[in-house]
Structures are given as structure tokens and as C-alpha cells.
Amino acid sequence: MEQETRLSETDRPSAPGSVRPGGRTAKVRRAVLDATEDALAASGFHTLNMDQIAASAGVGKTTVYRRWGSPVGLVTDLLHDMAEQSLPAADTGSLAGDLRANAALVHRTLTDPRMGAVFRAVIAAAACDEECATALRGFYRTRLEEWAPVVARAAARGEVPAGTDALELLRAVSAPLYYRFAVTREELTEADAERAVRAALAAAAAGAFARPED
């Protein structure tokens, strides 16, 4: 049997990211996910190698294969972790300020050399694997729900119509940025982020994101 190095764990969860362990097991997970992120940033999803991840994390290969199962399992758990670690939503006192903070966060993330590369890798993984796609949808759903209260506060202040769909409004801010980043691969600028915010604000004020009547 392979000898475990530096870190070890004995319990296998039912699925990658399905438990939130503490103690030594948490250290194993942190080391492996950090190594996964490093590998994705350096060379993308299609070259992700379980043996190399184990070596980089200082974890025995049997642990990595037993717990995560495949590169898809690693990416899935990394997306769960990224959702957990994301920054909280802004509260600037106005919808315009909050949406600008949201757009600025998306812009900074996608233009960061390391995190931009990680997001390209996980988007590529999601394009070819349904498990990764489900995890990526979950990541973005978590982030949208985190920011949804900014729209509720805006409706209470009369900045947007009551019944505005918060998630659709927030998608309208980030969608143009992701289109440039992932589809057309154009340079992503602060002006692009500002344009997306202004377009979303105008559409929201006009009732474009109103939920349909029951």
C-alpha cells in the first residue's frame, strides 16, 4: 500500500465538496484545492493530473483518488470552495453604487492574471462535463443570491420597480463582461464594466426585469 506523506485522511465523502471537514481533513482539502487552483492557473483543465496534484499538495495519491476521484471532482470541489470564500455583497447606499461594486469585482477577477486563468479553465471544464457545469451553475447561483439584497434595498428606496427580479438584473451586469472574456476574448476594460452597469440600470428602471404576474 502506498505510504501517505505529510497529510492524510481516512474518510471518503459521498461526493466532492459534500462535506465541510475540520482538523487534519480540512488541511488535506485546503492543500489539494490550492494545488488544483495552481495547476488550473498554470496550464488549464485538460492537463490537470491527479498524481501531480497529490505531489504538489504533499498528500498521498490514494487520498486524492479516493476522495476526489477525477480531475472533474477536483474542479467541482474547488468551485464549491470558491463560492464559500467569495467576498460579501456591497452596501453603498444606492443601486448604482452597488452594481458598480459588483461590476468592479467581476472585472478585477477576470482581468487578474491568475484568477482569469482559473476561470477560463473551469469554464472549459464546464463546457465538456455536466458535473462541472452543474458546479459552475451552483457557484454563480450562490454569488447572485449573495448580491440579491442590493436589488431588494433598491426597490424599497424606489430606485427600481417593485417585483424586479434581482438575479436577472445582476446577470445583466456581469453577462457582457463574461461574453468579452470567454466568447470573443476581447480586452476587458473598466469602461466595459461601467457600460454594463449603466445599461442594466436603464433596463431595470424601465421595468425590463419585472417578474411576470402570477
Side-chain angles (χ1 to χ4, degrees), residues 5-115:
T5 57
R6 284 192 295 160
L7 302 174
S8 65
E9 57 101 6
T10 59
D11 297 325
R12 180 183 180 182
S14 58
S18 61
V19 297
R20 297 294 171 261
R24 180 170 295 183
T25 303
K27 293 179 182 179
V28 169
R29 181 175 183 247
R30 181 76 271 144
V32 169
L33 294 185
D34 286 348
T36 300
E37 187 176 289
D38 289 344
L40 290 173
S43 55
F45 171 70
H46 294 293
T47 60
L48 199 61
N49 181 283
M50 300 283 281
D51 291 2
Q52 291 176 3
I53 294 299
S56 296
V59 176
K61 289 187 290 185
T62 56
T63 294
V64 176
Y65 280 97
R66 183 174 63 243
R67 175 160 181 173
W68 285 274
S70 69
V72 167
L74 289 169
V75 173
T76 297
D77 198 15
L78 178 63
L79 283 164
H80 289 311
D81 182 69
M82 288 167 62
E84 294 167 356
Q85 302 299 325
S86 294
L87 295 174
D91 185 0
T92 66
S94 73
L95 181 60
D98 291 344
L99 294 186
R100 286 190 172 96
N102 180 273
L105 177 59
V106 173
H107 176 265
R108 285 197 305 272
T109 300
L110 298 183
T111 57
D112 179 81
R114 175 183 173 83
M115 291 311 299

Side-chain angles (χ1 to χ4, degrees), residues 186-198:
E186 297 173 78
E187 179 185 5
L188 190 58
T189 68
E190 292 181 0
D192 296 321
E194 174 64 18
R195 186 183 305 109
V197 169
R198 294 175 66 179

Side-chain angles (χ1 to χ4, degrees), residues 131-145:
E131 184 180 341
C132 284
T134 298
L136 188 59
R137 284 194 298 272
F139 169 81
Y140 284 115
R141 183 78 183 190
T142 298
R143 295 305 297 141
L144 290 169
E145 290 175 350

Side-chain angles (χ1 to χ4, degrees), residues 89-95 98 146-160:
D91 185 0
T92 66
S94 73
L95 181 60
D98 291 344
E146 174 72 25
W147 281 80
V150 308
V151 181
R153 292 194 298 264
R157 292 190 296 259
E159 294 177 283
V160 293

